[in-house]
Amino acid sequence: MEKAMDPSVIELLDYLKGAEMSQAAEKMESVLKYVNVMEEKLDEMIGQVEGMRNDLKRYEYLQNRSLGEKVKDKVSEKVSETIAYAKDLLEKTWIRLRAMKNAVRKVKERFEMEAAETLSMMKSRGKQALNKLLEFTHARQILEDAKERMEVTIKEADQMIERLEKLGSELREAKQKRNNAFRSFAGKEEKVYDNEKQPILAAISTMPWKNHRKSCEDSIKLLDKGISKLQALAKDVAEFEKSLSSNNSRHSDHRGLDFLRQGSWARQFLRRKLRDRAHGRRQRGS
């Protein structure tokens, strides 16, 4: 569900549209929408990671209970190592996502706070206060940082998926050896189990990581759109200021020409007066 915009933001957008700056208003509105969607996406991803952590805890409990007093073999030790690695990775991911959510929330809060200040300044100074809009583009760095963190998360997810798939292969191989040992003991031929489904660890564990990776890719697309809109907003403001400066310069040139013209006319008028006065003296002297 789309979140309602802050009243000060709505008023600023309406003012910009009324001041023939609809392009800047459209870009600001788009950025705010992307920020809202990004906040919701991060909430979803945090819940996703928390679910993965709970699943891992349950699997770890079942794994330890099934081993009981048994002596762990190499495969079982690798399973335990993988679980420990996944737990550590999910903890780091959870902390990273929480930090990103806080940063995105601050972007929205600062937008709302600066909207009222910008509106007040533009009402008092008009388009002369255009550079105040540039303060909104500070969010670009925050969004770029969030994108870098998402890229790190994707890289870690890829490493985890690869590790789980390798472990799944080793579990299949261990299962095949164990089953064929029983078949050999019973006088049966060995059987190839390649077509069997992946062991429960790999089948259950890789899918959440793949879904998590997809969520990261979707988030990066949102961040890219927000960054692009902020870049365009900065460009629009620069063009507005350039146009405003050019208009002011032309206005100043016209006033300067008027002054020069007035100055030229005044000098001619003074010369005529002096000539007339000199001519009058000569007539009186004669």
Side-chain angles (χ1 to χ4, degrees):
M1 190 171 108
E2 190 173 323
K3 294 182 181 180
M5 282 192 184
D6 185 81
S8 59
V9 174
I10 294 173
E11 192 176 355
L12 175 60
L13 295 175
D14 289 341
Y15 180 85
L16 291 174
K17 291 172 184 176
E20 298 180 351
M21 297 168 65
S22 57
Q23 287 185 343
E26 180 272 328
K27 290 176 178 65
M28 284 185 65
E29 189 172 1
S30 295
V31 170
L32 284 168
K33 285 180 179 178
Y34 291 137
V35 167
N36 282 332
V37 174
M38 191 68 222
E39 189 176 15
E40 292 173 359
K41 188 69 178 175
L42 285 167
D43 279 333
E44 177 189 320
M45 292 177 71
I46 289 168
Q48 190 179 52
V49 168
E50 287 172 349
M52 292 165 71
R53 292 168 77 182
N54 291 332
D55 288 342
L56 201 58
K57 285 178 183 178
R58 282 194 293 270
Y59 182 84
E60 185 179 25
Y61 169 75
L62 294 172
Q63 174 74 6
N64 291 335
R65 192 176 71 171
S66 67
L67 288 172
E69 298 293 328
K70 295 178 183 178
V71 178
K72 291 185 178 181
D73 57 19
K74 288 184 178 179
V75 174
S76 297
E77 288 176 359
K78 282 193 175 182
V79 170
S80 298
E81 289 173 4
T82 302
I83 289 173
Y85 179 82
K87 285 172 67 178
D88 181 62
L89 201 57
L90 285 171
E91 178 68 17
K92 289 178 182 177
T93 302
W94 185 85
I95 292 171
R96 190 181 299 132
L97 290 173
R98 294 289 302 182
M100 280 190 271
K101 182 185 174 182
N102 290 335
V104 168
R105 185 187 290 122
K106 286 179 181 177
V107 168
K108 188 171 69 172
E109 289 173 353
R110 189 166 172 183
F111 258 68
E112 293 171 354
M113 180 185 69
E114 290 177 351
E117 295 178 6
T118 303
L119 181 63
S120 175
M121 188 176 291
M122 293 194 76
K123 281 182 175 180
S124 62
R125 296 176 55 194
K127 291 185 178 180
Q128 297 289 344
L130 268 174
N131 61 342
K132 182 68 177 173
L133 287 176
L134 288 174
E135 293 186 16
F136 288 95
T137 61
H138 75 280
R140 176 181 167 185
Q141 185 59 52
I142 296 173
L143 298 185
E144 286 177 345
D145 290 343
K147 180 182 176 180
E148 288 180 7
R149 292 181 181 186
M150 283 294 179
E151 288 170 344
V152 170
T153 305
I154 286 176
K155 185 177 179 181
E156 290 177 346
D158 285 339
Q159 292 171 349
M160 192 68 227
I161 291 167
E162 183 181 355
R163 186 164 182 159
L164 287 169
E165 288 177 344
K166 184 179 179 181
L167 178 62
S169 177
E170 291 176 359
L171 286 171
R172 276 197 304 273
E173 185 179 344
K175 180 180 178 181
Q176 180 169 312
K177 286 181 179 178
R178 185 188 66 224
N179 290 347
N180 278 326
F182 284 114
R183 291 178 66 85
S184 179
F185 182 76
K188 298 179 181 179
E189 293 184 0
E190 290 189 359
K191 181 182 176 181
V192 177
Y193 294 88
D194 287 346
N195 294 328
E196 286 198 353
K197 292 181 179 180
Q198 291 184 9
I200 188 168
L201 174 66
I204 292 177
S205 299
T206 56
M207 189 53 67
W209 286 95
K210 289 175 180 177
N211 291 338
H212 180 60
R213 188 190 192 285
K214 177 67 168 55
S215 295
C216 291
E217 289 176 336
D218 292 342
S219 296
I220 285 176
K221 289 177 183 177
L222 281 172
L223 291 166
D224 279 338
K225 288 178 180 178
I227 291 166
S228 177
K229 288 292 182 182
L230 285 169
Q231 288 173 329
L233 175 62
K235 185 178 179 181
D236 281 351
V237 172
E239 288 177 354
F240 279 134
E241 287 192 314
K242 185 178 178 181
S243 174
L244 190 64
S245 176
S246 177
N247 289 337
N248 288 341
S249 177
R250 284 197 295 270
H251 184 59
S252 177
D253 288 345
H254 287 317
R255 285 187 300 178
L257 286 171
D258 290 342
F259 175 78
L260 289 173
R261 291 191 190 102
Q262 291 171 4
S264 177
W265 176 85
R267 284 193 294 274
Q268 291 173 9
F269 178 78
L270 183 59
R271 288 193 191 99
R272 283 198 300 270
K273 283 289 185 182
L274 290 172
R275 281 199 302 269
D276 292 344
R277 189 177 296 174
H279 181 67
R281 287 197 198 99
R282 283 197 296 273
Q283 284 182 338
R284 287 193 294 273
S286 62

